[in-house]
Structures are given as C-alpha cells and as structure tokens.
C-alpha cells in the first residue's frame, strides 16, 4: 500500500530524529566543503602539471607569475576548509595561526612531492609498452591522477582531519582507484589500468612497486571494529614487487618480500620471502573445436 505524501514526509522527518545525519547551519560551519576541496584538488593538479589541465600557458615567461597566483589562490581556498576541520570557523587567532603553519609546510613539501610524482611517471613509461610519451601518461592515465592526489593528501593526513579523505575520494570517484591518504607509498609506483585497486590506510609499499587492476591491500578482519583503529591492519609490500590483476593481499602482519611476483587472482593472507613467484594453479581448462565437439544439452538450457 502506498503512503500518501504527508505520511511519507512525516516518517522521513522521524528518521532524522532517530539517526541524525543532518548538516545544520551551525554544524556545517565546522565541516569542510567538498566542493571547495575538490576545486583545490584541481588547483593542485595544475601546479603539478602546468598547462596539462586545460589551462594552456602562452609561453614560459608566464609560468612564474601563474604559479605564484595559483599558490595564493590554493592557500586561500584551503585555509577556510582547514580551519573548519580544526573546529573553529570563523577561526580564532590560534586556529588561524595553526592553519597558516600547516599550509606553509604543505606548500614547502610540494617540490619534493612533484619529484617523487615524476618518478611515478617514469615507472609508468618504463613499465607500459603501450605508453607513447610522458605527455600521454600525464593526460590520459587515471593512475597518475590518483597517485598525485594521494601524495598531496598524504602530506596533510597527520595534520588535518577530513580534508585528505575528501581529496582521495575525489580521485577515487574519478579514477576507480581507492588509495587511503594514510598509506605509505615509495617512489616509482605504477598502477597499470587501475580500476578496482584498493590501498588501505596502513598499507606500506616500497620502491618500484607495480600493480594491476583489481589489486586490493586490505585488513584480514574488522570484527574488532573501532579497537583496530591506529593499528597495522594492511600488508607491507617490499621493493620491486609486481602484483597482477585481481589479487587480494590481507593482514597487517603479511609481508611480500622484495622482488617477488604475485600472479593474477591470488588470495594471500600470509607472508612470502623475497624473490618469490606466487601463482594460483587453477582447475584444468579444456579447449575443443566447437564444430567437432558434440554439444550436450544442460538442465539450465545451455549446451556443453
């Protein structure tokens, strides 16, 4: 039986009182704006890759002025959201001073972030024979966007609540690649294809790690719930490891030794030593010629 509109609205209002989840104006003042943070992400990508985000530079003499202008704009945009995240808006003097310090440290870290990010582009170019140029990788590879936003969000992760998660979830929604800003990821990181990749909060990845689509680094069990907060729950992947599509590696005590290769569709809950080859030995597959193989009807209506 369909409820009339008045009854439906009444029941909807009742759920507000029972479960919360309403961002009233007074509460909204202390929550960062998703829209503003997402615009900041776009600004950050323009700082990492000038001229590649639809804002062509007329010539190299423009770059210094444009960069200074972008940094000023970025700091102004993020300062408001950081103050909100720190629990004071309009901010008191102490919160404003803390936000300014966080932003100064963040901007100071960007040159090194860009150097590491360029190592990721190097890894993509060296690791993907389909790549024709560095420009193609910057413009077209979703993994570079996801990794770039992760690396910048990671710089804020221990200092500011909420904002780093909004940043990486923006990248997740655009790329299908879910990297938690708390993860520790070394240089020369390459995700080939990328859709469905999950990198949990306490994951540690070494240098020159290459993974394919559908790879997940997750916790073994969340039965303990909040008691697991702050504890190592996700695996450690050492230098030079390659992990193929669809593999899941679980657990904070799981370590994949350096220079190992993990084949596709492997499910791992324990450590493997360095220089290992791990693969799933599947059930035998039969291949026959369609016309020479007599088709037998099955109960489900298909033939075999």
């Amino acid at each position: 039986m369909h409820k009339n509109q008045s009854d439906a609205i009444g029941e909807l209002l009742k759920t507000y009182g029972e479960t919360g989840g309403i961002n009233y104006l007074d509460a909204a003042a202390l929550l960062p704006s998703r829209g503003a943070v997402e615009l900041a992400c776009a600004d950050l990508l323009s700082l990492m890759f000038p001229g590649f985000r639809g804002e062509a530079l007329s010539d190299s003499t423009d770059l210094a002025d444009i960069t200074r202008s972008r940094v000023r704009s970025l700091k102004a945009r993020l300062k408001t959201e950081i103050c909100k995240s720190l629990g004071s808006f309009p901010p008191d003097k102490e919160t404003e001073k803390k936000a300014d310090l966080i932003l100064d440290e963040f901007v100071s870290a960007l040159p090194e972030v860009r150097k590491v990010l360029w190592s990721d582009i190097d890894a993509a170019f060296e690791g993907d024979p389909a790549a024709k140029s560095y420009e193609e990788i910057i413009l077209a590879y979703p993994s570079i966007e996801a990794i770039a936003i992760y690396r910048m969000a990671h710089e804020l992760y221990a200092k500011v609540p909420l904002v780093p998660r909004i940043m990486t979830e923006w990248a997740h929604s655009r790329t299908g690649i879910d990297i938690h800003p708390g993860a520790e990821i070394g240089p020369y990181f390459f995700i080939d294809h990328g859709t469905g990749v999950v990198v949990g909060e306490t994951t540690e990845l070494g240098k020159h790690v290459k993974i394919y689509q559908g790879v997940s680094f997750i916790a073994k069990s969340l039965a303990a719930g909040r008691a697991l907060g702050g504890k190592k729950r996700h695996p450690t992947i050492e230098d030079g490891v390659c992990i193929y599509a669809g593999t899941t590696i679980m657990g904070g005590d799981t370590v994949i030794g350096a220079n190992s290769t993990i084949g596709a569709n492997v499910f791992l809950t324990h450590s493997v030593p360095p220089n290992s080859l791990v693969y799933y030995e599947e059930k035998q597959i039969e291949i026959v010629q369609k016309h020479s193989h007599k088709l037998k009807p099955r109960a489900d209506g298909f033939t075999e």
Side-chain angles (χ1 to χ4, degrees):
M1 178 178 176
H2 291 294
K3 301 181 179 70
N4 63 42
Q5 181 172 303
S6 179
D7 289 342
I9 292 171
E11 291 190 19
L12 184 61
L13 289 169
K14 185 180 177 182
T15 69
Y16 295 158
E18 292 170 346
T19 64
I22 309 166
N23 193 9
Y24 288 116
L25 290 176
D26 55 347
L30 299 180
L31 289 175
S33 160
R34 282 184 61 110
V37 174
E38 289 170 359
L39 287 171
C41 287
D43 289 344
L44 284 165
L45 289 174
S46 292
L47 281 171
M48 294 297 102
F49 308 116
F52 279 88
R53 311 301 301 182
E55 67 307 332
L57 303 173
S58 56
D59 60 57
S60 60
T61 60
D62 296 338
L63 186 58
D65 288 341
I66 289 174
T67 301
R68 292 188 186 97
S69 176
R70 282 182 181 148
V71 169
R72 285 195 298 270
S73 174
L74 174 72
K75 290 179 74 174
R77 195 190 305 278
L78 278 179
K79 182 176 178 178
T80 297
E81 308 318 315
I82 288 173
C83 288
K84 291 178 183 178
S85 296
L86 295 175
S88 177
F89 192 81
D92 55 38
K93 288 184 178 180
E94 184 178 346
T95 301
E96 192 166 9
K97 184 178 179 180
K98 185 175 181 180
D100 284 333
L101 178 60
I102 289 169
L103 281 166
D104 287 344
E105 292 175 347
F106 178 63
V107 171
S108 295
L110 292 181
E112 186 59 32
V113 169
R114 191 170 191 271
K115 290 177 185 177
V116 176
L117 185 55
W118 206 258
S119 78
D120 302 324
I121 297 170
D122 281 334
F125 187 75
E126 295 300 326
D128 185 4
K132 300 297 189 292
S133 67
Y134 277 54
E135 290 79 9
E136 178 186 14
I137 291 166
I138 294 168
L139 280 169
Y141 280 39
S143 62
I144 293 302
E145 182 169 304
I147 294 167
I149 293 299
Y150 151 76
R151 292 203 182 280
M152 291 181 282
H154 183 72
E155 294 296 322
L156 292 171
Y157 182 64
K159 303 170 184 176
V160 183
L162 290 174
V163 170
R165 285 303 304 271
I166 296 172
M167 291 171 68
T168 54
E169 289 303 327
W170 178 76
H172 180 195
S173 69
R174 289 166 58 88
T175 66
I177 297 169
D178 183 3
I179 308 176
H180 194 286
E184 298 283 347
I185 301 178
Y188 296 95
F189 178 45
F190 178 37
I191 305 172
D192 202 353
H193 302 294
T195 305
V197 163
V198 177
V199 181
E201 179 189 22
T202 61
T203 304
E204 297 176 49
L205 305 182
K207 302 184 294 290
H208 294 278
V209 171
K210 179 179 181 180
I211 65 176
Y212 286 79
Q213 68 272 19
V215 168
S216 295
F217 303 123
I218 59 176
K220 273 186 185 176
S221 172
L222 295 178
R226 299 297 308 164
L228 291 172
K231 296 181 180 179
K232 173 77 166 147
R233 308 183 303 281
H234 305 92
T236 296
I237 313 298
E238 294 183 344
D239 298 349
V241 171
C242 180
I243 304 172
Y244 284 89
T247 284
T248 296
I249 302 176
M250 300 176 67
D253 56 354
T254 301
V255 178
I256 306 302
N259 303 309
S260 293
T261 298
I262 314 297
N265 300 316
V266 169
F267 187 85
L268 268 178
T269 59
H270 57 272
S271 299
V272 300
N275 300 300
S276 296
L277 173 62
V278 181
Y279 60 94
Y280 172 66
E281 193 167 14
E282 60 185 306
K283 185 179 178 181
Q284 184 177 347
I285 296 174
E286 294 185 9
I287 302 175
V288 299
Q289 290 295 310
K290 290 170 69 174
H291 297 299
S292 62
H293 178 59
K294 187 174 180 180
L295 301 178
K296 296 181 292 185
R298 300 191 330 192
D300 57 12
F302 290 94
T303 54
E304 60 180 20

